[in-house]
């Protein structure tokens, strides 16, 4: 499942592909979004927004009157290309196109036309997102600070904090030496402030580079004289998908376990706090 940085990057890329004011061709070759697409057809994309793993495309002339709410889920994919768009396959849920480019959305969990009020309701049920300027980290800490649940599970709970997925949760806990099984209520405000600030920096870099890198400069392959990581996702990490490999810092074995329905990775030696 894509993490929040991917969705914020998509919001930027959709906005960059279609300058405000240009009426778009909006279609649903697959048919599942056909009625809504017909309503939006020949309307400009006014603005884009992201909160956690939710993407919003606002259509309208002077202000976004209607929003397309997209959640990619596990299988959703977005492809960008130059005009002319190729004939669409019947897997394309939503195609936006103008004279210079097109964007296809396939296989999302959600692709729905919603009102401003419905959009607000989505924001209201999500926790603060480190990539949003309006995010309030104290709100997340209030929920974490009264919970007996492990910090590793809380970081994956989108109602507590939005946009963090399996890679960022494992990596940020490693970077702060925090045992993933510690209860949320044992995380001090100072620790939470440090985790939050780190997520803001790491996830912003993720948006910029469109991939997740979490190792500090002294732990890059070049600095350590080690081979770079080989993985579909790219990016240099400390523990994610490194089960049974030696820790970059202590040399101990990275461990893995199931936590909150996803594989957790951590170094028991470096994460004792
Ligand atoms: Zn270690």
């Amino acid at each position: 499942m894509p993490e929040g940085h991917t969705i914020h990057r998509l919001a930027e890329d959709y906005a960059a592909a279609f300058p405000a004011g240009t009426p778009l061709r909006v279609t649903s070759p697959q048919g599942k979004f056909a009625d809504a697409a017909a309503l939006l057809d020949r309307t400009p994309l006014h603005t884009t927004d992201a909160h956690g793993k939710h993407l919003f495309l606002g259509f309208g002339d002077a202000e976004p009157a209607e929003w397309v709410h997209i959640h990619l889920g596990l299988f959703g994919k977005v492809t960008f290309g130059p005009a002319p768009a190729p004939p669409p396959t019947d897997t394309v849920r939503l195609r936006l196109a103008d004279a210079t480019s097109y964007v296809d959305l396939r296989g999302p969990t959600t692709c729905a036309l919603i009102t401003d009020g419905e959009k607000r309701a989505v924001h209201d049920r999500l926790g603060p997102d480190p990539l949003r300027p309006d995010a309030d980290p104290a709100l997340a800490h209030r929920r974490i600070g009264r919970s007996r649940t492990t910090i590793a599970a809380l970081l994956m709970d989108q109602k507590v904090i939005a946009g963090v997925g399996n890679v960022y949760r494992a990596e940020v806990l490693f970077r702060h030496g925090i045992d993933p099984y510690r209860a949320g209520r044992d995380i001090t405000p100072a620790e939470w402030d440090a985790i939050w600030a780190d997520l803001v920096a790491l996830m912003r870099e993720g948006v910029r580079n469109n991939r997740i890198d979490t190792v500090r400069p002294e732990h890059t392959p070049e600095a350590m004289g080690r081979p770079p990581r080989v993985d579909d996702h790219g990016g240099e990490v400390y523990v994610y998908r490194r089960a049974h490999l030696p820790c970059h810092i202590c040399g101990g074995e990275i461990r893995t376990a199931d936590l909150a329905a996803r594989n957790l990775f951590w170094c028991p030696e470096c994460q004792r706090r």
Side-chain angles (χ1 to χ4, degrees):
M1 166 127 27
E3 305 205 16
H5 70 295
T6 303
I7 308 307
H8 281 263
R9 176 63 181 251
L10 281 175
E12 288 182 7
D13 289 349
Y14 263 105
F18 303 116
T22 312
L24 304 185
R25 296 312 313 262
V26 183
T27 54
S28 179
Q30 183 199 40
K32 279 192 184 172
F33 192 65
D35 291 351
L39 279 173
L40 296 173
D41 194 26
R42 301 184 191 278
T43 309
L45 180 64
H46 180 277
T47 188
T48 63
D49 193 13
H51 189 154
K53 300 175 183 179
H54 298 255
L55 173 65
F56 304 94
L57 307 178
F59 286 82
D61 285 300
E63 57 185 65
E66 285 173 298
W67 297 89
V68 178
H69 173 210
I70 296 167
H71 193 294
L72 293 181
L74 278 177
F75 304 109
K77 275 209 163 41
V78 179
T79 21
F80 292 78
T89 60
D90 59 9
T91 55
V92 176
R93 181 81 57 92
L94 171 64
R95 170 174 282 186
L96 304 186
D98 69 2
T100 57
S101 57
Y102 75 95
V103 185
D104 283 348
L105 167 69
R106 290 182 171 81
T109 300
T110 305
C111 174
L113 193 60
I114 61 171
T115 62
D116 253 331
E118 289 165 328
K119 177 173 183 279
R120 255 194 315 278
V122 176
H123 291 296
D124 288 346
R125 63 170 195 261
L126 291 170
D129 174 346
L131 287 170
R132 289 180 68 86
D134 62 359
D136 175 10
L139 189 63
H141 190 252
R142 275 203 290 283
R143 289 172 184 159
I144 288 168
R146 57 173 185 246
S147 176
R148 292 163 195 255
T149 306
T150 63
I151 183 63
L154 289 164
L155 284 174
M156 296 286 277
D157 183 342
Q158 302 297 303
K159 298 188 296 297
V160 172
I161 177 170
V164 173
N166 208 20
V167 189
Y168 283 121
R169 80 149 168 189
E171 293 298 311
V172 81
L173 291 174
F174 179 90
R175 285 168 59 94
H176 294 267
I178 290 175
D179 180 342
Y181 289 96
R182 257 175 73 188
R185 61 183 185 181
D186 297 334
I187 301 290
T188 66
E191 283 173 328
W192 178 250
D193 287 347
I195 289 173
W196 178 271
D198 208 21
L199 284 170
V200 170
L202 289 172
M203 292 175 75
R204 278 191 189 152
E205 195 179 314
V207 175
R208 249 192 325 274
N209 302 333
N210 216 358
R211 68 174 212 180
I212 299 179
D213 288 279
T214 60
V215 299
R216 297 190 170 93
E218 61 270 32
H219 300 129
T220 60
E222 302 75 40
M224 294 183 72
R226 62 177 173 84
R229 175 167 177 252
V230 180
D231 188 279
D232 295 348
H233 297 267
E236 284 295 330
V237 294
Y238 287 108
V239 291
Y240 179 69
R241 284 198 185 162
R242 294 197 68 247
H244 313 304
L245 293 172
C247 173
H248 290 325
I249 293 185
C250 73
E253 189 180 312
I254 302 298
R255 290 183 59 187
T256 185
D258 191 67
L259 204 154
R262 302 289 298 278
N263 288 326
L264 170 72
F265 301 89
W266 83 106
C267 173
E269 188 58 35
C270 293
Q271 296 174 252
R272 285 162 169 260
R273 284 201 292 152

